[in-house]
Amino acid sequence: MIDDSINYGYIIRYIRDMLPERTGLLRELELYAAEHEVPISQPETIKLLELLIKLGRRRSVLEVGAAIGYSAICMAQAGAEKIDTIEINKDSAETAAGNFKKAGLCGAVTLYTGDAAEVLPNLARSGRRYDMIFIDAAKAQYGAFFESCMSMLCPGGLLVSDNVLYKGMTATDELVLHRKRTIVKRLRDYVKLLCTHEQLETVVLPVGDGIALSIKRDEI
């Protein structure tokens, strides 16, 4: 597993020691991700996703960035009944499809292979609506995904944006690498949009690599 947590090592170790170890297919996927350097969400981020689904009874979920299917499987096992997930990389999508089959989730998870910037508008035009949307894809594109995601998020729905602190670079110029300046600028603009949007109530948490939770206010 690629560890991009922004917290101190001793805090991360303490938190993760409190989490039950995954078994079966999920453990296999964790080992596969570590061996092949596939980015999957950190254990504490996944546990937060699972609790959000259980607490809010989030039944329909859209995921932007499937990777090998790890987070979608976790969300389904936490109670999400219908998950649509998008993956741009064909090899990763093929692996994810196989993992969904192994998990017995072919009827619960629909996988779309392609660029989310193109897939999302098509889903929006089809009238899709979701209780929760989890964005964990190309960080520089979060802003481009926003309008389509907002249009599909139900009133009272939850928008979850992962990696918004981006190894701490979003929070301070002192950490920004030259080659990452464009990504960081776009992430800062995106976080500001979440925090100032009139239809959203947002909190940014230092969990994993930084996660933003945004509730869409009920329409008046």
Side-chain angles (χ1 to χ4, degrees):
M1 180 185 299
I2 299 173
D3 198 332
D4 52 12
S5 179
I6 59 172
N7 285 305
Y8 292 112
Y10 67 89
I11 294 177
I12 298 167
R13 289 191 295 272
Y14 177 77
I15 292 174
R16 293 181 184 176
D17 282 347
M18 297 299 106
L19 298 176
E21 187 172 306
R22 303 288 181 175
T23 59
L25 177 60
L26 289 175
R27 182 55 180 162
E28 291 178 20
L29 297 187
E30 289 177 350
L31 294 174
Y32 178 93
E35 180 181 354
H36 296 86
E37 297 187 343
V38 175
I40 61 175
S41 294
Q42 300 301 321
E44 57 272 28
T45 301
I46 290 293
K47 178 54 68 174
L48 178 59
L49 284 177
E50 293 171 336
L51 289 176
L52 290 170
I53 287 171
K54 292 177 180 179
L55 287 170
R57 300 180 65 83
R58 310 287 173 180
R59 301 306 187 198
S60 58
V61 176
L62 170 64
E63 177 185 49
V64 185
I68 58 174
Y70 180 80
S71 52
I73 293 172
C74 290
M75 290 189 286
Q77 292 183 352
E81 296 173 356
K82 178 60 181 175
I83 300 175
D84 289 343
T85 185
I86 305 168
E87 176 55 45
I88 191 172
N89 184 281
K90 292 182 179 179
D91 291 337
S92 294
E94 184 176 338
T95 301
N99 290 329
F100 296 147
K101 184 176 181 179
K102 289 179 184 178
L105 295 173
C106 291
V109 180
T110 300
L111 174 63
Y112 296 88
T113 303
D115 187 339
E118 299 174 0
V119 176
L120 287 170
N122 290 332
L123 290 177
R125 283 191 290 269
S126 72
R128 301 294 178 89
R129 293 293 181 271
Y130 301 96
D131 299 320
M132 186 170 97
I133 297 177
F134 177 47
I135 303 180
D136 185 21
K139 313 312 164 192
Q141 299 301 312
Y142 280 19
F145 303 152
F146 180 76
E147 289 300 330
S148 292
C149 288
M150 276 293 289
S151 70
M152 292 186 284
L153 189 62
C154 296
L158 180 63
L159 175 63
V160 181
S161 306
D162 202 8
N163 305 106
V164 294
L165 294 180
Y166 201 52
K167 302 174 179 62
M169 287 186 278
T170 307
T172 175
D173 288 338
E174 294 179 5
L175 296 176
V176 178
L177 301 176
H178 181 77
R179 67 181 186 278
K180 302 292 186 180
R181 287 187 303 172
T182 298
I183 296 175
V184 172
K185 181 184 183 304
R186 291 183 181 181
L187 272 175
R188 287 175 176 173
D189 290 342
Y190 177 73
V191 172
K192 183 176 181 180
L193 173 63
L194 295 180
C195 292
T196 59
H197 197 283
E198 62 181 7
Q199 283 188 278
L200 295 176
E201 188 168 348
T202 297
V203 63
V204 178
L205 302 175
V207 175
D209 193 28
I211 193 164
L213 307 180
S214 307
I215 291 285
K216 185 176 182 179
R217 294 188 176 95
D218 290 342
E219 297 172 353
I220 300 176

